[in-house]
Amino acid sequence: MARAPAGARPYLELLRLDRPVGGWLLVLPGWIALAAVAAPREGLLLGPLLLVFGVVSRGAACGLDDVLDARFDARVPRTAGRPVASGRLSAGRALALCVVLGALAPLVLAFWSAEAVLWAAAGAPLAAVYPLLKRVTHWPHVWLGVTINWLVPLVYALLRGGPGDGGPVLYGALVCWAVGTDVIYACQDREADVRAGVRSAPVLLGPRSRLLVAGVYAGCVALLGWFGAVAGLGPLFWPGLGVVAGQLAWQVRRADPADAAACGRAFATNPLCGLLVLAAVLAGRVGTLG
């Protein structure tokens, strides 16, 4: 990012290209669904499309979030330097870029099918509503979980024609995971959010936020276990699930709601967690791929 031209940096920061963690948390659920249901050739063709779609759509969503939340971001130290909040990029230019990217993102999947474009476009309203929810509810994390995992039902619809074996269970597991990750992320800004009037589960629960994270992470592990049984995954899935459970437990232990830096470090390990889930599902399909 430091080597990018000065005029381009606000746009790159708007799209969060300097902060890839959130992008991985959008792409990995799609890859996990591919690992669960795709034949090797399907995975090799659709996987890169999901990656490009995830990067573009995440950029559009983050940009819209920055435009809508500029007033709040300017009052929170961690986000005050964002391009729109700091005045380095006008809201009009940022919004124009978001509209262009939001229109282009579903078209990436036209390389797969027209149905894929329609499914991708159907998720756009979910992403557009999310930034508004922190104004009216302490539970925007649940909506984010539903939204950021939209690639799961998309993959099942494209490759199975519907929910398939365990599709809703996998979706539920990954929604629980996303809720936990977002609560940890929000813990970083709890005190500033209280002053700015922003709502979140950490604002409501304070130190008890850790219990919430522990609960939804436990739900994630339980649902992944249910998914493994329903989807007929082989014995190699279960040791992998144990490693995932251990990683999530480590996050709960380290993510002290009173320690913003610790929460940031715990949140940053979630791409690793997603890769562990992906590896567990692939291992469970050994002998069934063909």
Side-chain angles (χ1 to χ4, degrees):
M1 186 65 66
R3 297 180 180 179
R9 288 175 198 164
Y11 295 95
L12 298 177
E13 292 175 23
L14 181 79
L15 305 181
R16 303 291 196 277
L17 295 182
D18 59 329
R19 299 177 181 272
V21 171
W24 284 117
L25 297 184
L26 192 155
V27 173
L28 281 167
W31 283 0
I32 292 167
L34 281 179
V37 300
R41 183 175 180 274
E42 291 173 326
L44 290 174
L45 290 174
L46 188 52
L49 294 179
L50 295 184
L51 174 61
V52 176
F53 169 79
V55 172
V56 176
S57 61
R58 188 234 181 180
C62 288
L64 178 61
D65 184 87
D66 281 11
V67 171
L68 295 176
D69 283 350
R71 178 169 59 91
F72 296 113
D73 286 346
R75 300 170 65 184
V76 176
R78 189 181 59 83
T79 59
R82 287 178 176 173
V84 179
S86 65
R88 291 183 294 126
L89 185 64
S90 71
R93 290 188 177 186
L95 186 59
L97 179 59
C98 296
V99 170
V100 171
L101 291 179
L104 288 177
L107 296 180
V108 171
L109 296 180
F111 289 97
W112 182 263
S113 69
E115 182 186 5
V117 175
L118 294 176
W119 267 94
L126 298 176
V129 168
Y130 168 70
L132 303 175
L133 293 182
K134 64 187 72 175
R135 294 161 169 78
V136 298
T137 177
H138 289 288
W139 304 103
H141 324 285
V142 177
W143 190 270
L144 178 70
V146 170
T147 302
I148 204 170
N149 289 291
W150 187 249
L151 289 181
V152 175
L154 182 150
V155 167
Y156 270 83
L158 296 182
L159 301 185
R160 288 291 179 89
D165 296 332
V169 181
L170 178 61
Y171 187 46
L174 297 180
V175 168
C176 286
W177 174 43
V179 170
T181 65
D182 197 49
V183 171
I184 291 175
Y185 185 81
C187 283
Q188 298 176 92
D189 300 325
R190 181 183 179 275
E191 298 302 324
D193 283 347
V194 170
R195 293 192 296 269
V198 176
R199 300 184 182 186
S200 71
V203 168
L204 178 67
L205 300 176
R208 292 176 294 169
S209 300
R210 178 180 271 170
L211 294 176
L212 172 61
V213 174
V216 292
Y217 276 178
C220 172
V221 173
L223 288 171
L224 284 174
W226 183 10
F227 169 74
V230 171
L233 297 181
L236 293 178
F237 169 74
W238 302 102
L241 180 59
V243 174
V244 171
Q247 205 283 329
L248 292 174
W250 178 89
Q251 286 190 47
V252 172
R253 181 172 178 271
R254 295 301 298 270
D256 180 357
D259 187 338
C263 288
R265 289 191 293 270
F267 171 78
T269 67
N270 275 291
L272 169 62
C273 183
L275 289 172
L276 291 174
V277 177
L278 176 63
V281 174
L282 283 172
R285 288 199 67 196
V286 168
T288 67
L289 296 173

